[in-house]
């Protein structure tokens, strides 16, 4: 009787859950088509869950544990209950087994409650999520009593048992109701998202990392259809992107990692995703959102719908929110649901820039200069080499060949960056490296244009740079600019360019290891290394700069946020150009991290980082580009 | 306006030569030559600028191409024979190593030199027209002189090329031989070299054709010339444009280096080397006028002391290269500081003219505020860190004390600076009160900013005594307590006031004033000018043969001009021997230095300038308590070794006295005292 009742309740609720999920799927299936390997994805799903997702979740062990207990217990309990009802009946052994898994789940639920009631991390959403511990406890607790009672032969009055079953059913309903809007939604959508992910290469069964933006076809495939560039409305996203948004469990890890949020810029990546989720509904508003808002912007003012523009002053996403993003991928790095926030931001920016010309602030001016002169400052391309007039850098002409090409990037127009480039050139000379430069034929790599959504300018630059490089024979390209590194290494292949691209930190480490450079004056200072996002998170290179610093004899200290989990300087994604104001400046926040280490110097390995961190006013650690430190440490006495 | 870097850090291409930026130093004559050669001192001086990022450094002002244009007597360079070539090679290697270009100026000075030195040859010129500055009547050049001198130019040009120099310019400015031919004021010939401008240009054209033939079309040759001689019978701006165009269009020159004025009399000379009384870049318009017509790169120097002005000159298209010659004497690293975004750290030339005034009396060029310039072998421009950190107390915030604090802080020491007054600067603050001498305050401004940036604990308004000094537990105590006015020891000396009293405003100048100047320096002349400007009727008396006799040739004419303009009576050759009162007025007794006859002046005020006496009270309070009993070991000081007695770390300190606290001298002496001592602490 109890078993039947239970199974009935469970099956009914699961059926409702399935119905909800199907109903829900209409929302994300409304997106644009996407090429997805359905079978391969489903096959890869368990592995991705157990490896990739757990790799992320495991970074906070407490959370990983309660999640394993609750989810494991819950799924096992459901399976047992269904099995007991459908096939095996209520044997005492099965009841005992059920009691065990429910006890496991109860333990996890208590941990959930402890976290939500006692620890109360500020990034957690409230609202429907606040009821989560109660539902979990209600389901596991009530059923545990019933299961124990049944295992002992059923001493409890049946009426009481039925009341408990009913209570568990209510709790279960609440959990499953969440498939539609609530905590449990993430289970269904998260699993589907893992299977149909827009970047399957990012998982361990692929390349393990996939961070390059994908080309946007600029001409419509079908001449008769005007086609829209980028994303204007929710339905303009590919369906599996919408699915990804629906996977968000509002855990707030992205919020904690986001440098813009930390500086009080109006961007909370969690809210951004939830804005996208809410917008999928017909008459949408963010009123139901119960997490932290975009800083400086309240909740409840945003309105939209699946077929309405997403970005606007009264729309779901305020332009300032969209343009606050530095594309640093900290949110993506932290997201246990594998959501690709930055892709979404760039998709939205593409529409704003390409269709509306609504790129804000100095960014629009920069893009105009870039289109006119192929460099963001609007200067003659010869001026990229002014700083090196006395260095006689060999130019690699079309048809020529060299071992190594030095790609100097747009930092070469900047006084500060010229200093570190000069240091690098002196080091290459000192180490006897055979290298050349492109001279006037080096154009901007297009990184900033692309992150600002100007795919047309990016593609124009990329196509021409690829042609220039392909007209020469070279073994490797070295650059001190991680943005150029990323663009050349990961984004130019789509335009027919494929070379070995190395960051100067890796090259300098090789040169020291090979004995081509000798450390004569160990630095001997306390130094903390600030990982460039485009070197670390985008390319996984976090070891070489550290090994290099160790090799030149620094006393290395780590910031709390370092390596793949480093925090952005604020210089990426065109953020210094869009210049959305917040409570603080992003580099100020980052410099605070550096200050906490007590290090006397922050070593940087990216021109943007150098400029952003050196722009921090007031007493602070010195900022030095890593090549400058290596130069000083390998100085030959004359 | 954009950053100076945008305009200045842009290479300039002249033929095959790429100059890495737009900042240069013009050829000048620092008096560092030895036996007519640019040896180590000369080379190190220019190498420092190359290290400091300069694009082009030109050396050897008025380097001689012929035996009748002597250079060696002024410690300058003779390119008149091949023995100079190895020095050129060493020199160009040294400068090229740092990425800068190196050129020289070649010239024949014609009548603008002396006959009574080196080879004792008569001077030559276009005509036998007397040159006022050198009191010299030249021989009119005859046929073989043309042949010899033109050949001399060509041979010197070859030596430059063989020596690895990037090019050279011929001087046709300041009244040298080529422009002696150009200028109707000096050329009265009636043959093909005189008369029309075309004829007057002929000699120079022949010279350039000869050197072109010698070194070829691919070598960089320039010409230094005036953009307007600024005299009635001289070359007008239009003449100068015509000359520049003619020479450029014939392919004889690759750049023209333009200045304003000429230098045949004292004031003209001072104007052509503008001091702090002039606005910045006073003759930029002349270079700009030639730039518009000449069609070749134009260089220009003349009081471009700051990078913003330099950038404006280039950015607005007036010139292609901007010369900051004296600016580099003050700070040879100014381009590097621009590149490093450290504009605030540039030690800006104040236009005191100390460097150039020294060379016209046979001295070597030294900077009033940078003791390392010209002393690169012994004095560092970038102070290295000390191995051991010490606690240093500096007493006195004048130039010596500030420099001592700066150098000690650069060494990494912990430094306290105690200054009695509410503001630092010492006597500079007084000197700067006198009308056009205001820019002297720039010396204090830079030093104060540097010590603040370096974290020196500057305590103003603190009168130091034994207790305050010892409370700091110093390892080293440096007393730069300066001096006080020397009021003289003649009878009635107490009835006079000092120039300090006047310039600080403690005493208002009124009625008739006798300014008695026993030093011949800036102090008396500038105080007289100050008082006259404030309405007093001023007479300046001096035992010297002229007023401001010790002031150099780029400054003294300005003093005299201003004193004449203000109707200041100038009485030379008279000693002040006594003052006595008459009612509430004063009578000054002046005795003629030569006849010993006495004259009297009945005046309302008598102001006396006799230099300073040291403030040494604190020194003698501390002397016997110090480890070294106040003695600075002179042999170690000169050799650049640490002082033999060092603080031992067990209490006790060494004591040093510098600047006017030892004996009244000048700003450079105080700064050199400080830097030379402290660089080894």
């Amino acid at each position: 009787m109890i078993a039947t009742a239970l199974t009935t309740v469970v099956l009914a609720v699961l059926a409702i859950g399935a119905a909800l999920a199907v109903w829900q799927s209409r929302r994300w299936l409304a997106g644009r088509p996407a090429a997805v390997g359905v079978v391969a994805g489903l096959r890869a799903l368990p592995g991705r869950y157990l490896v990739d997702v757990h790799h992320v979740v495991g970074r906070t062990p407490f959370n990983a544990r309660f999640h394993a207990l609750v989810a494991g217990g819950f799924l096992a309990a459901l399976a047992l209950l269904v099995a007991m009802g459908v096939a095996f009946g209520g044997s005492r052994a099965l009841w005992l087994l059920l009691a065990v898994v429910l006890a496991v789940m109860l333990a996890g639920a208590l941990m959930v409650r402890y976290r939500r009631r006692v620890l109360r991390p500020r990034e957690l959403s409230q609202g429907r999520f606040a009821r989560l511990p109660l539902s979990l406890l209600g389901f596991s607790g009530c059923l545990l009593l019933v299961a124990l009672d049944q295992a002992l032969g059923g001493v409890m009055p049946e009426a009481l048992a039925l009341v408990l079953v009913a209570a568990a059913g209510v709790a279960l309903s609440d959990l499953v109701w969440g498939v539609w809007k609530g905590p449990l939604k993430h289970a269904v959508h998260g699993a589907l998202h893992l299977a149909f992910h827009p970047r399957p290469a990012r998982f361990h069964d692929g390349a393990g990392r996939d961070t390059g933006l994908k080309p946007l076809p600029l001409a419509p495939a079908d001449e008769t259809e005007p086609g829209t560039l980028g994303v204007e409305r929710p339905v303009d996203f590919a369906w599996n992107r919408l699915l990804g948004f629906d996977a968000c469990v509002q855990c707030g890890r992205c919020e904690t990692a986001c440098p813009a949020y930390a500086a009080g810029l109006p961007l909370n990546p969690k809210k951004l995703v939830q804005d996208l989720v809410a917008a999928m509904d017909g008459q949408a508003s963010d009123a139901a959102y119960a997490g932290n808002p975009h800083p400086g912007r309240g909740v409840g003012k945003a309105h939209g719908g699946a077929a309405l523009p997403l970005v606007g002053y009264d729309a779901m996403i305020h332009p300032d929110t969209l343009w606050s993003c530095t594309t640093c991928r900290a949110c993506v790095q932290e997201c246990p649901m594998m959501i690709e926030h930055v892709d979404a931001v760039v998709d939205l920016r593409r529409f704003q820039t390409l269709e509306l010309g609504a790129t804000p602030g100095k960014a629009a001016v920069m893009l105009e200069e870039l289109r006119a002169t192929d460099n963001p400052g609007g200067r003659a391309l010869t001026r990229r080499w002014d700083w090196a007039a006395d260095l006689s850098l060999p130019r690699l002409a079309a048809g020529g060949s060299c071992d190594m090409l030095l790609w100097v990037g747009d930092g070469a127009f900047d006084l500060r960056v010229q200093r570190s480039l000069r240091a690098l050139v002196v080091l290459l000379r000192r180490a006897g490296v055979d290298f050349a430069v492109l001279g006037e034929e080096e154009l901007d790599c297009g990184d900033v244009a692309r992150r600002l959504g100007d795919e047309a300018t990016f593609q124009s630059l990329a196509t021409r740079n690829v042609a220039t490089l392909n007209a020469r024979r070279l073994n490797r390209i070295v650059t001190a600019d991680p943005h150029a590194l990323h663009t050349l290494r990961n984004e130019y292949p789509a335009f027919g360019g494929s070379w070995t691209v190395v960051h100067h930190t890796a090259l300098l480490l090789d040169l020291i290891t090979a004995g081509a450079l000798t450390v004569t004056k160990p630095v001997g200072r306390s130094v903390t290394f600030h990982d460039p996002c485009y070197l670390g998170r985008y390319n996984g290179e976090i070891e070489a700069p550290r090994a290099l610093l160790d090799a030149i004899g620094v006393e290395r200290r780590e910031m709390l946020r370092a390596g793949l989990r480093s925090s952005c300087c604020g210089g990426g994604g065109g953020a210094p150009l869009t210049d959305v104001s917040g409570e603080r400046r992003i580099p100020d926040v980052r410099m605070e991290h550096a200050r906490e280490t007590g290090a006397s110097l922050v070593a940087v390995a990216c021109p943007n980082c150098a400029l952003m961190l050196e722009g921090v006013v007031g007493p602070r650690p010195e900022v030095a580009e890593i090549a400058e430190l290596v130069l000083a440490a390998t100085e030959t006495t004359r | 306006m954009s950053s100076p870097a945008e305009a200045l850090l842009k290479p300039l291409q002249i033929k095959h030569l790429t100059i890495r930026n737009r900042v240069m130093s013009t050829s000048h004559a620092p008096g560092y030559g030895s036996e007519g050669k640019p040896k180590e001192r000369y080379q190190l001086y220019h190498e420092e600028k190359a290290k400091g990022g300069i694009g082009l450094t030109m050396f050897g002002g008025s380097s001689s191409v012929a035996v009748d244009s002597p250079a060696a007597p002024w410690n300058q360079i003779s390119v008149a024979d091949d023995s100079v070539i190895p020095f050129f090679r060493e020199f160009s290697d040294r400068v090229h190593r740092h990425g800068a270009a190196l050129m020289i100026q070649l010239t024949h000075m014609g009548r603008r030199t002396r006959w009574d030195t080196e080879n004792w040859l008569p001077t030559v010129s276009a005509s036998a027209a007397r040159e006022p500055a050198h009191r010299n009547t030249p021989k009119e050049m005859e046929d073989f002189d043309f042949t010899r001198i033109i050949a001399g130019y060509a041979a010197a040009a070859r030596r430059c090329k063989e020596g690895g120099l990037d090019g050279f310019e011929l001087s046709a400015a300041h009244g040298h031989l080529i422009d002696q031919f150009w200028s109707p004021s000096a050329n009265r010939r009636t043959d093909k070299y005189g008369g029309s401008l075309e004829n007057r240009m002929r000699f120079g054209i022949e010279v350039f054709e000869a050197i072109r033939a010698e070194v070829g079309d691919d070598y960089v040759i320039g010409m230094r010339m005036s953009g307007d001689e600024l005299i009635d019978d001289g070359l007008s701006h239009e003449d100068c444009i015509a000359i520049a165009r003619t020479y450029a269009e014939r392919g004889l020159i690759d750049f023209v280096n333009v200045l304003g004025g000429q230098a045949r009399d004292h004031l003209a000379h001072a104007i052509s080397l503008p001091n702090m009384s002039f606005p910045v870049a006073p003759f930029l318009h002349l270079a700009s006028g030639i730039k518009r017509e000449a069609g070749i790169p134009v260089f220009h120097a003349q009081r471009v002391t700051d990078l913003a002005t330099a950038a404006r000159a280039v950015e607005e298209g007036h010139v292609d290269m901007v010369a900051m010659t004296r600016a580099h004497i003050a700070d040879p690293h100014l381009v590097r500081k621009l590149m490093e975004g450290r504009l605030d750290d540039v030690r800006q030339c104040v236009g005191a003219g100390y460097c150039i005034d020294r060379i016209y009396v046979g001295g070597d060029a030294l900077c009033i505020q940078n003791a390392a310039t010209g002393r690169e072998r012994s004095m560092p421009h970038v102070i290295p860190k000390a191995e051991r950190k010490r606690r240093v107390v500096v007493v006195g915030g004048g130039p010596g004390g500030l420099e001592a604090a700066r150098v000690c802080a650069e060494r990494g020491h912990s430094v306290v600076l105690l200054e009695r007054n509410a503001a630092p600067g010492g006597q500079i603050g007084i000197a700067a009160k006198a009308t056009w001498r205001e820019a002297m305050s720039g010396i204090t401004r830079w030093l104060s900013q540097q010590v603040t940036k370096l974290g020196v604990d500057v305590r103003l308004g603190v009168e130091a005594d034994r207790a305050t000094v010892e409370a700091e537990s110093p390892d080293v105590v440096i007393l730069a307590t300066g001096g006080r006015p020397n009021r003289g020891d003649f009878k009635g000396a107490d009835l006079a006031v000092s120039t300090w009293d006047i310039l600080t405003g403690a005493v208002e100048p009124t009625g008739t004033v006798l300014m008695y100047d026993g030093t011949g320096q800036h102090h008396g002349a500038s105080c007289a000018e100050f008082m006259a400007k404030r309405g007093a009727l001023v007479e300046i008396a001096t035992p010297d043969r002229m007023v401001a006799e010790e002031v150099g040739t780029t400054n003294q004419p300005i003093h005299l001009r201003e004193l004449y303009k203000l109707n200041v009576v100038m009485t030379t050759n008279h000693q002040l021997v006594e003052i006595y009162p008459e009612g509430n007025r004063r009578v000054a007794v002046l005795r003629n230095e030569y006849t010993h006859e006495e004259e009297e002046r009945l005046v309302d005020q008598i102001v006396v300038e006799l230099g300073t006496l040291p403030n040494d009270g604190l020194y003698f309070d501390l002397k016997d308590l110090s480890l070294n009993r106040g003695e600075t070991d002179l042999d170690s000081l000169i050799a650049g070794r640490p002082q033999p007695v060092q603080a031992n770390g067990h209490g006790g300190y060494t004591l040093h006295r510098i600047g006017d606290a030892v004996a009244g001298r000048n700003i450079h002496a105080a700064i050199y005292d400080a830097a030379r001592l402290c660089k080894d602490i």
Side-chain angles (χ1 to χ4, degrees), chain A residues 481-617:
Chain A
D481 181 352
H483 296 265
L485 173 106
H486 170 69
T487 310
L488 267 65
R489 180 192 277 174
N490 300 321
E491 298 188 348
Y492 277 12
F495 299 87
S498 185
W499 316 274
T500 303
V501 187
V502 294
H503 192 240
H504 71 312
T505 51
L507 176 69
L508 291 174
L509 179 64
D510 283 351
L511 292 173
I512 288 183
T513 312
L517 289 173
T518 312
V519 177
T520 51
K521 291 183 192 161
V523 177
R525 294 179 64 177
S526 53
V527 174
T528 185
F529 177 64
H530 164 75
D531 290 271
C533 306
Y534 278 72
L535 187 65
R537 269 189 296 279
Y538 274 81
N539 283 284
E541 296 190 23
I542 57 173
E543 294 307 325
R546 287 177 171 76
L548 183 59
L549 285 171
D550 292 346
I552 60 170
V554 310
E555 184 224 312
R556 187 157 56 79
R557 300 184 184 179
E558 288 293 353
M559 288 185 259
L560 232 46
R561 294 167 189 243
L564 297 176
R565 305 183 78 185
S566 173
S567 188
C568 177
C569 68
L577 296 161
T578 56
D579 199 24
V580 178
S581 58
E583 291 157 27
R584 306 172 66 188
R585 295 177 67 251
I586 296 175
D588 292 348
V589 175
R590 185 53 172 164
M591 189 54 84
E592 199 51 49
H593 299 166
R595 244 186 233 115
E596 283 162 9
T597 66
S600 67
L601 188 145
V602 187
V604 294
C606 166
N608 291 12
C609 301
L611 293 172
M612 296 308 284
L613 292 178
E614 265 197 357
V616 173
V617 295

Side-chain angles (χ1 to χ4, degrees), chain A residues 116-117 126-136 174 177 183:
Chain A
R116 286 201 162 264
R117 292 286 142 81
Q126 299 303 317
R128 208 171 284 275
F129 284 84
R131 293 210 306 269
L132 181 64
L134 185 65
S135 304
L136 293 174
D174 191 53
W177 187 247

Side-chain angles (χ1 to χ4, degrees), chain A residues 384-517:
Chain A
R384 190 192 302 275
W385 305 97
D386 282 0
W387 62 279
D390 54 351
L391 293 170
S392 313
L393 299 181
R395 308 284 166 102
L396 184 63
S401 67
C402 71
D403 172 37
M404 182 174 289
L405 183 93
L406 173 64
W407 183 277
V408 292
D410 293 326
F413 289 108
D414 181 89
L415 264 185
R416 168 66 189 89
V417 181
Q418 287 164 5
R419 243 158 52 221
S420 42
L421 283 172
R422 179 171 284 270
L424 178 59
V425 166
V426 173
L427 285 168
L428 294 180
R429 290 252 159 94
R430 192 176 283 173
V433 176
D434 165 35
F435 73 97
V437 298
L438 283 180
E440 283 170 52
E441 292 188 66
E442 181 182 323
L443 313 178
D444 173 86
C445 69
D447 162 68
V448 183
R450 190 169 224 197
R451 308 313 130 182
L452 287 171
D454 190 350
E455 182 72 5
T457 302
F458 168 76
Q459 290 191 11
S460 158
L461 290 164
T463 310
R464 285 177 292 148
N465 276 327
V466 166
T468 300
L469 289 165
N470 281 344
R472 289 149 175 86
R473 289 182 302 281
L474 40 99
N475 290 332
R476 313 174 271 178
I477 297 172
V478 65
T479 182
D481 181 352
H483 296 265
L485 173 106
H486 170 69
T487 310
L488 267 65
R489 180 192 277 174
N490 300 321
E491 298 188 348
Y492 277 12
F495 299 87
S498 185
W499 316 274
T500 303
V501 187
V502 294
H503 192 240
H504 71 312
T505 51
L507 176 69
L508 291 174
L509 179 64
D510 283 351
L511 292 173
I512 288 183
T513 312
L517 289 173

Side-chain angles (χ1 to χ4, degrees), chain A residues 74 207 221 237 322 364 495 562 564 627:
Chain A
F74 183 57
F237 277 111
L322 180 65
F495 299 87
L564 297 176

Side-chain angles (χ1 to χ4, degrees), chain B residues 22 35 48 88 184 194 227 261 311 350 386 401 539 556 587 618 639:
Chain B
R22 303 310 184 94
E35 297 171 314
E48 198 67 37
F88 282 179
V350 297
E539 174 178 359
Q556 193 207 33
V587 174
L618 179 59

